[in-house]
């Protein structure tokens, strides 16, 4: 799985972290803003701590303003934070710090190419390249889902691989008109429309009985299906 999403949803959905190549990093990790090392830190514990502290501050402020202490105590953290502020300014004392140099930790995301110099990125990239090399002569499918058609960091290597692999097929599902590799039309397809609807229809087509005809009808109603 190669993705430019930084929200960590693939791991939360059960995908193996060792099978991911995150080209722009992940908000689930923190790294030293001074880049004193390649070390990463789990962001969740820091985020939970900050939100808990801010919720407590919001409760105290609310109690002081209207005296509804019992109401605030029974509220969830989200309810205590809601409406207090549109943007949470994290107090300096709560900013996570690098254990090595003391610089602030920052979200491990980047679209400038700096991440490409980190060991984690290079390991993910190496696994991705090894996977493509191992299966280049197999009948495989590249399924490109909802990705910006100008995202060359992902599309360029995938399309180059497709053009060099004689038995590979390439399918794009996107609201935009697809950019496809220069291979035979029999090995490519594009579905223009809502990703959720298209995937649901494809799942039905892979089923049995009446679900197949239902799925075909739903797929036909997409904005466009092109071979």
């Amino acid at each position: 799985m190669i993705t430019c999403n930084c929200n960590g949803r693939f791991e939360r959905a059960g995908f193996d972290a060792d099978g991911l190549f995150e080209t722009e990093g992940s908000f689930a990790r923190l790294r030293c803003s001074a880049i004193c090392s390649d070390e990463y830190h789990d962001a969740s514990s820091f985020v939970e701590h900050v939100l808990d502290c801010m919720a407590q501050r919001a409760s105290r402020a609310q109690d002081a303003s209207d005296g509804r202490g019992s109401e605030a105590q029974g509220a969830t953290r989200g309810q205590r934070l809601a409406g207090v502020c549109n943007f949470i300014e994290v107090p300096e004392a709560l900013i996570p710090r690098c254990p090595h140099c003391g610089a602030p930790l920052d979200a491990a995301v980047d679209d400038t190419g700096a991440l490409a110099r980190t060991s984690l990125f290079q390991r993910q990239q190496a696994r991705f390249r090894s996977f493509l090399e191992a299966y280049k002569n197999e009948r495989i499918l590249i399924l490109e889902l909802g990705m910006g058609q100008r995202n060359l960091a992902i599309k360029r290597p995938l399309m180059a691989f497709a053009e060099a692999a004689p038995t590979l097929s390439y399918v794009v599902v996107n609201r935009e008109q697809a950019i496809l590799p220069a291979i035979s039309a029999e090995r490519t397809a594009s579905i223009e429309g809502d990703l959720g609807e298209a995937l649901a229809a494809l799942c039905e087509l892979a089923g049995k009985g009446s679900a197949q005809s239902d799925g075909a009808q739903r797929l036909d109603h997409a904005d466009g299906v092109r071979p």
Side-chain angles (χ1 to χ4, degrees):
M1 179 70 68
I2 179 171
T3 179
C4 59
N5 289 337
C6 304
N7 51 25
R9 289 188 179 273
F10 287 105
E11 284 191 68
R12 294 204 300 274
F15 284 84
D16 185 353
D18 289 338
L20 292 177
F21 180 15
E22 299 161 306
T23 61
E24 295 179 16
S26 172
F27 285 106
R29 297 186 293 272
L30 300 175
R31 62 173 178 169
C32 177
S33 58
I35 318 179
C36 75
S37 74
D38 259 357
E39 186 176 352
Y40 285 93
H41 310 270
D42 178 34
S44 60
S45 59
F46 293 108
V47 171
E48 289 297 321
H49 179 59
V50 168
L51 291 179
D52 283 340
C53 291
M54 297 305 293
Q56 292 171 15
R57 291 181 59 183
S59 290
R60 290 195 294 269
Q62 187 70 23
D63 293 349
S65 65
D66 60 19
R68 293 183 299 170
S70 60
E71 256 185 59
Q73 288 176 6
T76 65
R77 183 178 68 187
Q79 290 169 336
R80 294 198 299 270
L81 286 172
V84 175
C85 52
N86 293 323
F87 176 78
I88 297 177
E89 182 178 350
V90 179
E92 185 174 355
L94 295 181
I95 295 176
R97 298 281 174 177
C98 173
H100 305 294
C101 72
L105 295 178
D106 196 5
V109 296
D110 179 63
D111 60 0
T112 66
L115 274 180
R117 297 191 294 272
T118 66
S119 59
L120 176 61
F121 181 96
Q122 291 169 3
R123 288 196 304 272
Q124 290 185 342
Q125 185 181 58
R127 286 197 300 263
F128 171 67
R129 289 175 172 172
S130 295
F131 177 86
L132 294 183
E133 178 64 24
Y135 293 96
K136 64 182 180 181
N137 294 318
E138 303 291 335
R139 290 173 56 90
I140 61 175
L141 167 69
I142 291 179
L143 184 57
E144 182 191 302
L145 304 175
M147 187 176 64
Q149 293 301 282
R150 302 295 176 183
N151 188 331
L152 296 182
I154 294 179
K155 286 194 70 78
R156 180 180 288 152
L158 286 180
M159 291 201 300
F161 175 70
E163 290 165 3
T167 60
L168 179 144
S169 297
Y170 200 109
V171 175
V172 176
V173 184
N174 206 301
R175 288 186 181 276
E176 305 174 31
Q177 185 170 351
I179 297 175
L180 296 167
I183 59 179
S184 63
E186 293 80 8
R187 294 165 51 204
T188 64
S190 66
I191 302 172
E192 293 178 29
D194 182 89
L195 178 58
E197 293 178 1
L199 288 178
L202 289 171
C203 287
E204 290 179 6
L205 284 172
K208 298 180 180 180
S210 61
Q212 291 186 344
S213 58
D214 293 341
Q217 289 179 350
R218 291 180 62 183
L219 202 53
D220 287 341
H221 290 143
D223 292 343
V225 180
R226 292 187 172 89

